[in-house]
Amino acid sequence: MKVAVVGAGAIGAFVGASLHRAGAEVHLIARGPHLSALREHGVRVLSPRGDFTVHPRATSDPADVGPVDYVFLGLKANSYAASGPLVHPLLHERTAVVAAQNGIPWWYFHGLPGRHTGHRLESVDPGGAVSATLPPERAIGCVVYAATEIEAPGVVRHLEGTRFSIGEPDRTVSRRCLEFSEAMRAGGLKCPVETDLRDDIWIKLLGNISFNPISALARATMAEICRHPDTRTLVTAMMRETLEVAACLGSTPRISIERRLAGAERVGEHKTSTLQDLERGRPLELDVLLAAVVELADLTGTDVPTLRAIHAVADLLNRTTSRSLK
């Protein structure tokens, strides 16, 4: 099996290192000091499950790699539309793209029966730019339940979790999913193949849609948001509205709001990725988390006043932040 990891950051390098340890031919696409460290020292994974170091190939030029069986996307979803130069040299007729993203994916309605089959969400696929770059038929969905961070160039700190749920948009159990799952499990990761990954997407989204924008607006950790009575109430309202949208689309995630809150509180003084991006002066990944669900609410006629209010102020924050970067 030949795999290219596009965006070999914390999650991408962790997955690439695990697959390499299992015997797959892995190529990491990276840049800057991280790439230099990967080339010189390999990937060093520091984990409560045991540290290890591996030496997969690393490059900044996907043309050096050529066509692969699987592309694992470790990029933020707001980079997908512009990822063509990184992804296209890696594709052959049957190359699958494993998209490890938060939020609502661009392929959400691909292969989904019902009156919204094939519907394109403007917030996640503006003008069809993502679908043109990453055709939905290539997509394998992936919901990440692992937490990792780059401790230093070439060094990945694995904090918790090893589960990467994957699934086909059309709900089939395909050979390509089974083969990728087997390789991930051989590398020490959990990788169940789900017949409807959309339920997992909504479960993960319950936390991201609420904690991520609030953390950026309040500059607060997850535990601080949970401990503050009014923001805890706000999160509860956002989660409730999100579940109502999911139900209108036929998804019924099997998790209670209180259980989701309790899990978030256990994470402790953790800064969400959105808050970290804000502090580093990066664009905020809010379209797939928040704007997409507001768009889905419009599509289904669902009343989501809390989501709309938070979306308005978070979008303004993102716009003012983006202007300051120019």
Side-chain angles (χ1 to χ4, degrees):
M1 177 186 293
K2 185 177 180 182
V3 182
V5 178
V6 176
I11 285 294
F14 179 56
V15 168
S18 299
L19 288 171
H20 181 85
R21 188 167 62 162
E25 179 186 337
V26 175
H27 300 260
L28 305 179
I29 313 298
R31 61 185 181 181
H34 188 53
L35 172 60
S36 299
L38 292 173
R39 283 173 163 168
E40 187 172 354
H41 304 294
V43 183
R44 185 183 178 199
V45 176
L46 308 177
S47 171
R49 298 166 57 88
D51 301 345
F52 66 95
T53 301
V54 294
H55 297 269
R57 298 178 178 91
T59 181
S60 61
D61 187 358
D64 293 342
V65 179
V68 299
D69 301 310
Y70 296 90
V71 173
F72 184 89
L73 277 184
L75 303 170
K76 291 288 183 73
N78 52 12
S79 301
Y80 284 4
S83 68
L86 292 174
V87 174
H88 291 167
L90 304 169
L91 303 180
H92 58 58
E93 288 184 1
R94 295 178 303 280
T95 302
V97 176
V98 182
Q101 71 161 97
N102 287 324
I104 301 295
W106 83 101
W107 54 259
Y108 190 89
F109 290 109
H110 178 70
L112 182 67
R115 61 195 179 104
H116 302 305
T117 298
H119 180 81
R120 180 179 61 81
L121 290 170
E122 183 66 22
S123 53
V124 301
D125 190 7
V130 177
S131 291
T133 300
L134 306 170
E137 58 269 19
R138 290 190 182 273
I140 292 175
C142 178
V143 178
V144 178
Y145 293 95
T148 59
E149 61 185 20
I150 295 292
E151 185 160 296
V155 181
V156 176
R157 171 74 63 178
H158 171 222
L159 303 172
E160 62 176 356
T162 60
R163 182 179 166 194
F164 293 77
S165 296
I166 63 172
E168 292 283 356
D170 66 1
R171 298 172 170 169
T172 59
V173 178
S174 65
R175 178 176 294 276
R176 65 182 188 172
C177 277
L178 292 173
E179 289 178 348
F180 189 77
S181 171
E182 182 179 354
M184 292 280 277
R185 288 187 289 109
L189 304 177
K190 296 177 182 177
C191 190
V193 178
E194 304 290 354
T195 53
D196 194 347
L197 191 70
R198 290 171 182 84
D199 283 351
D200 284 68
I201 288 170
W202 287 105
I203 289 173
K204 182 82 181 287
L205 184 57
L206 282 178
N208 291 143
I209 200 172
S210 51
F211 287 101
N212 286 53
I214 292 173
S215 69
L217 291 165
R219 310 299 202 275
T221 66
M222 292 177 69
E224 288 170 336
I225 294 168
C226 287
R227 288 196 299 264
H228 188 280
D230 290 337
T231 52
R232 188 182 185 95
T233 300
L234 184 60
V235 166
T236 299
M238 295 178 74
M239 289 186 176
R240 185 177 297 115
E241 291 175 7
T242 301
L243 288 174
E244 289 171 2
V245 175
C248 288
L249 293 168
S251 289
T252 53
R254 297 179 182 177
I255 191 167
S256 69
I257 290 174
E258 277 306 314
R259 182 180 169 192
R260 198 68 180 84
L261 280 166
E265 195 165 10
R266 281 197 302 272
V267 172
E269 305 304 331
H270 171 69
K271 294 181 179 181
T272 70
S273 59
T274 304
L275 176 54
Q276 291 179 48
D277 284 343
L278 179 68
E279 292 178 339
R280 294 167 182 166
R282 297 173 179 170
L284 308 183
E285 188 186 33
L286 291 174
D287 286 345
V288 295
L289 302 182
L290 190 49
V293 179
V294 172
E295 186 177 347
L296 288 170
D298 291 337
L299 183 68
T300 57
T302 309
D303 190 26
V304 291
T306 315
L307 294 179
R308 289 187 191 280
I310 296 298
H311 173 246
V313 290
D315 185 59
L316 178 58
L317 173 64
N318 197 23
R319 288 169 187 261
T320 54
T321 301
S322 297
R323 280 201 300 268
S324 69
L325 298 177
K326 295 179 180 179

